[in-house]
Amino acid sequence: MALLEGIRDPADLRELPAEEMPALAEEIRGFLVRAVARTGGHLGPNLGVVELTLALHRVFSSPRDKIIFDTGHQSYVHKLLTGRLDGFDGLRQRGGLSGYPSQGESVHDLVENSHASTALAYADGLAKANQRRGRTDRSVVAVIGDGALTGGMAWEGLNNLVGAPDRPVIVVLNDNGRSYAPTIGGLGRHLHDLRTSSDTWLDVYTRDGHVVEDNLFTNMGFGYIGPVDGHDVSACERAFDAARAMRRPVVVHVVSSKGRGYAPAENDQADHMHGIGKIDPETGEAPKSSGTSWTKVFADELCAVGEDHDEVVAITAAMPGPTGLAAFAERFPDRAYDVGIAEQHAAGSAAGLALGGLHPVVAVYSTFLNRAFDQVVMDVALHRLPVTFVLDRAGITGPDGASHHGMWDMSILGVVPGLRVAAPRDPARLRETLREAVEVTDGPTVLRFPKATAGPDIDAVVRVDGMDVLRRSRGLSLDVLIVSTGVLAEACLQAADILEDQGIGITVVDPRWVIPVNPALTGLAARHQLVVTVEDCSRTGGVGACVGQACADAGVRTPVRNLGLPRAFIEHGDRNGLLADMGLSGEQIARTVRDHHADLCVPARTGAETSPR
Ligand SMILES: Cc1ncc(C[n+]2csc(CCOP(=O)(O)OP(=O)(O)O)c2C)c(N)n1
Ligand SMILES: CC(=O)[C@@H](O)[C@H](O)COP(=O)(O)O
Ligand SMILES: [Mg+2]
C-alpha cells in the first residue's frame, strides 16, 4: 500500500502522475475490502466511487473547493485521501471514525447528515454565499447518487441551481443504477436510456463540454457532460475540468457500478453489499446470525396479514430489503410499491391509497419518518385515514450515529391528533399490535421497534384495560409504578428485581399502545407513590412527557419522572453500550428509581392499597 500510505492530504494525491492512478485504485479497493470486512459498513457504495473520488480530489482543491457527498455513506475513499487511513479499524465504533462525513474529523468534511437528497440544497446555499462574498476562485461540487436523486429535496435543489445560470455548481451524478434495489420510476428509466443510448462514452471534451442536445438536465438549463466512465480516473478528471470551465450549473453524469472490483459484492444480487456486517473477506460470507431480527418478525407477520386482509398494501422508500417488505412484495407483487427515496411521497401516496379504500402499511426507518412529518399530520391524520406506519430502527440504532438513531418518532408523533403509537416489547406483541393496527379504520397507527435481535416473549401477569401488567409488587406496598415502553421491558423487569430486593414495591406496566396515554394508566398512577417512565426515545415530548401531562390533566398528583434519551445528538457506537451511556440498562434504571424514590422521603406504604388484579 505504498501509494496509499504516502497520501496524507489531497495535495499528496495531486503530486502523483496519472499513470499511478490504476495502481492506487487497486490499493484502495484492497484496503476497503479488508477494513470493512473487519468492521462492517458500506462496502458496495464505496467500491463504486474509488476512481470518481480520486478524480474529484485531483481536480478540485478541498477544502477551498467544497465537495459535498449526498447521504455520505460513500465517503470512505474521501476519508482515505484526507488523512484518515489509520482510523479505519475503529470505523462506526464508539470513539472511532464515523461512517459518514464528520466535521469533527476533518476540514474536508462538510455535511454530516446521512439523510439522502440534501446535497443540492447545501450546494445551492454555498454557491449563493460564494457569490455574495465575491468568492469566484472556488468550486462547489455536489456528489449525488441516482437513488438520492429520486428524493423530492433533490428536485427542489435542481430547480434552484438552474435558477441562476451565472452561479456555477457542479453536480456529479454517481449513477450506478440503484439505491439498494434498482432505481425506480421515470428517472430510473431516463438515466438508463442516457447510460445506454450513447454509442460511445464521452472521453474527449471540448472547452465548452460535450452538451447532449436533449435530456432532462439540459432541458432544465444545466450543462450536461456524460455519460462518463466512472472507473476511468482520467476520463472523470477531464469531465470535471470541462464542467468547471463551463462556469455554470452543470451535471456530470458519471456511470459506475456498486461493489466494483470485489466479486462477492458484484455478485450480490440483493444490493451489491450496500451495507454489511463483518464478513470473511475471502468469501464475502457473513457469520450465521443468532436469533431473529425484529424486521424478520414484522416481515413474516405482514405476509400473514396480507393473506387475511386483501385491503392491505405496502410501501417502501427504496428499502424493500432492509425494512422486510421484500418478502411481502414477493408474495403479493401487485400490492407492494417502491416509491424511491421519497418518504414524503410515500406518506402522501399512502393517503391516496387509503382514500381509495385500501389500508397501506408504510415501512420506513424511524429516523427517515422525520422527513414526512408534515405528510403524516396534514395528509394522513387530518383526514383520519387508516394508514399504518411501521418504524424499524426505532430508538438507538448504533453504528450509523446521530442522523440514524430513531430517537424522535414518539416525540414528534405525540402531537398528531388521532394518531396511535404502539411500542411492542416482544415478537408476540409486534404480531398482535400489527393486527390491531390494520383493523383501525379511523386514523393512522404507528408501530416502532429497534435494530436488534428480537428477544423472547415476555408474558403479562394480567392485562388490564388493554395494558399489560408485567410485574406486581411482591409486597403490599405500591411504591413505584414503572411504565415500560417497547423492548426496554426486559431492562425494567431487571430493575424491578433489584428494587424489590431492596424493599421497594414495584409495579411494571407495558401500555402496548403508548400514545395517546391510556386513561386507565392515570388511575394506576394514582395508586402509587411515584411513576417512572422508561423509553428508548427522546425524553423531550416522548411517552414520559405524555404520561406526565395525562396525569396532570387527570388531577393525579403522583410525581412522574421520565427516563429516556437526552435532547442531544448521540454519536455512533454499539446499541447496548449507548443505551447504558444513557442510563437505560436494568441496573441504571434501578439506581435512578431508587434515587427518585428516596427523594420523596416517604416511607414505603403498608397494606392498604391493592395491586392491580
Ligand atoms: C431520507 C433517506 N431515506 C433512506 C435512506 C437510506 N439509504 C441510505 S443509502 C440509500 C441508497 C442510496 O442510493 P444512491 O443515492 O444511488 O447511492 P449509492 O448507494 O447507489 O451510491 C438509502 C435508501 C437515507 N439515507 N435517507
Ligand atoms: C446509509 C443509510 O442510511 C443506510 O444504508 C443505513 O446505513 C442503514 O443501515 P442498517 O440497515 O444497517 O440499519
Ligand atoms: Mg445509486
Side-chain angles (χ1 to χ4, degrees):
M1 293 210 303
L3 290 171
L4 182 56
E5 285 163 337
I7 296 170
R8 290 292 153 186
D9 180 277
D12 301 331
L13 170 67
R14 290 192 285 271
E15 294 295 317
L16 293 175
E19 300 71 45
E20 297 279 25
M21 290 306 107
L24 176 56
E26 206 51 41
E27 285 188 19
I28 290 172
R29 271 198 178 83
F31 175 85
L32 285 175
V33 171
R34 290 190 302 276
V36 181
R38 279 195 301 272
T39 62
H42 291 96
L43 182 56
N46 284 282
L47 288 170
V49 296
V50 173
E51 290 83 5
L52 160 62
T53 310
L54 287 171
L56 282 171
H57 278 296
R58 285 170 63 81
V59 170
F60 300 106
S61 300
S62 172
R64 191 194 67 232
D65 293 330
K66 300 301 180 195
I67 302 174
I68 304 154
F69 290 92
D70 193 289
T71 318
H73 63 306
Q74 79 295 51
S75 60
Y76 296 4
V77 182
H78 162 79
K79 292 196 174 200
L80 287 173
L81 301 176
T82 51
R84 288 168 272 183
L85 171 68
D86 300 336
F88 270 77
D89 281 346
L91 181 66
R92 297 165 25 114
Q93 295 153 54
R94 181 201 295 242
L97 274 188
S98 166
Y100 304 95
S102 166
Q103 293 179 359
E105 290 177 13
S106 170
V107 292
H108 298 283
D109 290 10
L110 216 51
V111 174
E112 302 188 3
N113 175 15
S114 62
H115 288 199
S117 318
T118 64
L120 303 190
Y122 285 97
D124 179 49
L126 278 165
K128 287 169 178 169
N130 285 344
Q131 191 172 47
R132 286 282 311 128
R133 291 287 184 255
R135 295 190 288 251
T136 56
D137 62 338
R138 61 202 65 186
S139 299
V140 175
V141 183
V143 182
I144 185 167
D146 54 304
L149 199 58
T150 60
M153 261 190 86
W155 290 90
E156 294 162 11
L158 288 174
N159 189 40
N160 279 276
L161 289 179
V162 287
D166 63 340
R167 197 159 48 221
V169 172
I170 297 167
V171 176
V172 178
L173 169 54
N174 174 35
D175 179 7
N176 53 27
R178 53 191 316 135
S179 286
Y180 285 79
T183 298
I184 61 102
L187 177 68
R189 275 198 308 276
H190 185 60
L191 293 180
H192 174 268
D193 292 350
L194 284 182
R195 286 195 302 270
T196 53
S197 60
S198 317
D199 45 9
T200 56
W201 281 356
L202 298 156
D203 59 6
V204 176
Y205 299 98
T206 61
R207 181 163 173 66
D208 64 354
H210 186 110
V211 179
V212 174
E213 299 69 49
D214 174 23
N215 69 34
L216 197 59
F217 305 106
T218 55
N219 288 337
M220 284 185 82
F222 283 96
Y224 173 85
I225 294 177
V228 183
D229 179 353
H231 300 297
D232 179 336
V233 178
S234 300
C236 288
E237 286 188 48
R238 285 198 296 277
F240 298 154
D241 274 324
R244 179 168 51 190
M246 292 172 84
R247 301 200 59 71
R248 57 183 288 208
V250 184
V251 170
V252 181
H253 182 188
V254 174
V255 180
S256 67
S257 54
K258 189 175 271 193
R260 172 87 171 207
Y262 179 54
E266 290 177 333
N267 300 331
D268 171 21
Q269 293 314 309
D271 59 27
H272 295 299
M273 291 194 168
H274 172 90
I276 60 169
K278 295 175 183 173
I279 59 170
D280 175 336
E282 297 308 315
T283 64
E285 291 296 316
K288 290 280 171 278
S289 61
S290 60
T292 301
S293 69
W294 279 89
T295 310
K296 179 75 169 58
V297 174
F298 161 63
D300 292 348
E301 191 61 17
L302 186 66
C303 285
V305 166
E307 297 287 357
D308 301 337
H309 291 268
D310 178 60
E311 75 280 10
V312 166
V313 292
I315 300 178
T316 176
M319 300 177 78
T323 59
L325 288 193
F328 185 90
E330 190 174 333
R331 177 73 195 76
F332 309 104
D334 58 344
R335 291 163 57 184
Y337 305 100
D338 179 352
V339 298
I341 310 181
E343 287 81 4
Q344 295 173 328
H345 179 80
S349 178
L353 283 159
L355 285 171
L358 299 176
H359 190 123
V361 173
V362 181
V364 294
Y365 285 5
S366 164
T367 189
F368 301 139
L369 188 75
N370 297 355
R371 179 156 288 174
F373 177 68
D374 187 63
Q375 287 75 20
V376 170
V377 181
M378 291 293 125
D379 296 315
V380 179
L382 178 67
H383 302 95
R384 296 173 302 286
L385 291 172
V387 175
T388 295
F389 295 91
V390 175
L391 307 184
D392 198 335
R393 273 56 172 187
I396 293 286
T397 53
D400 285 288
S403 61
H404 266 74
H405 297 308
M407 58 184 281
W408 297 292
D409 54 56
M410 296 196 288
S411 299
I412 59 178
L413 295 173
V415 301
V416 182
L419 178 142
R420 305 166 174 88
V421 180
R425 65 176 180 273
D426 56 23
R429 262 39 72 177
L430 172 52
R431 290 189 278 268
E432 182 181 77
T433 49
L434 178 60
R435 287 192 175 268
E436 290 169 0
V438 299
E439 298 283 358
V440 173
T441 57
D442 64 350
T445 48
V446 177
L447 273 60
R448 55 132 32 208
F449 49 78
K451 174 178 187 173
T453 301
D457 288 340
I458 302 174
D459 293 331
V461 170
V462 63
R463 178 164 289 180
V464 175
D465 301 311
M467 301 187 300
D468 284 347
V469 175
L470 305 183
R471 170 67 57 82
R472 279 201 297 254
S473 168
R474 283 184 217 145
L476 287 175
S477 64
L478 292 180
D479 300 319
V480 182
L481 172 65
I482 294 180
V483 180
S484 159
T485 56
V487 289
L488 293 184
E490 191 177 343
C492 290
L493 288 169
Q494 288 166 1
D497 288 339
I498 295 167
L499 291 159
E500 290 271 6
D501 290 346
Q502 295 167 350
I504 299 176
I506 301 290
T507 304
V508 179
V509 66
D510 170 9
R512 298 186 316 122
W513 290 90
V514 291
I515 291 173
V517 174
N518 186 322
L521 187 59
T522 56
L524 198 52
R527 299 212 297 277
H528 287 77
Q529 290 178 8
L530 172 67
V531 175
V532 177
T533 63
V534 183
E535 59 194 302
D536 182 7
C537 178
S538 173
R539 293 176 60 238
T540 308
V543 171
C546 294
V547 170
Q549 181 74 53
C551 286
D553 293 349
V556 172
R557 301 166 64 82
T558 307
V560 180
R561 300 289 181 270
N562 308 138
L563 306 189
L565 303 177
R567 190 166 179 266
F569 293 113
I570 298 172
E571 291 293 305
H572 52 279
D574 68 286
R575 171 174 160 83
N576 291 332
L578 290 171
L579 283 172
D581 288 348
M582 304 298 145
L584 294 175
S585 70
E587 295 74 22
Q588 291 163 316
I589 294 170
R591 194 176 315 124
T592 308
V593 170
R594 189 176 58 247
D595 293 348
H596 284 314
H597 184 257
D599 289 349
L600 294 179
C601 304
V602 174
R605 293 184 192 174
T606 53
E609 307 74 20
T610 53
S611 296
R613 293 288 166 215

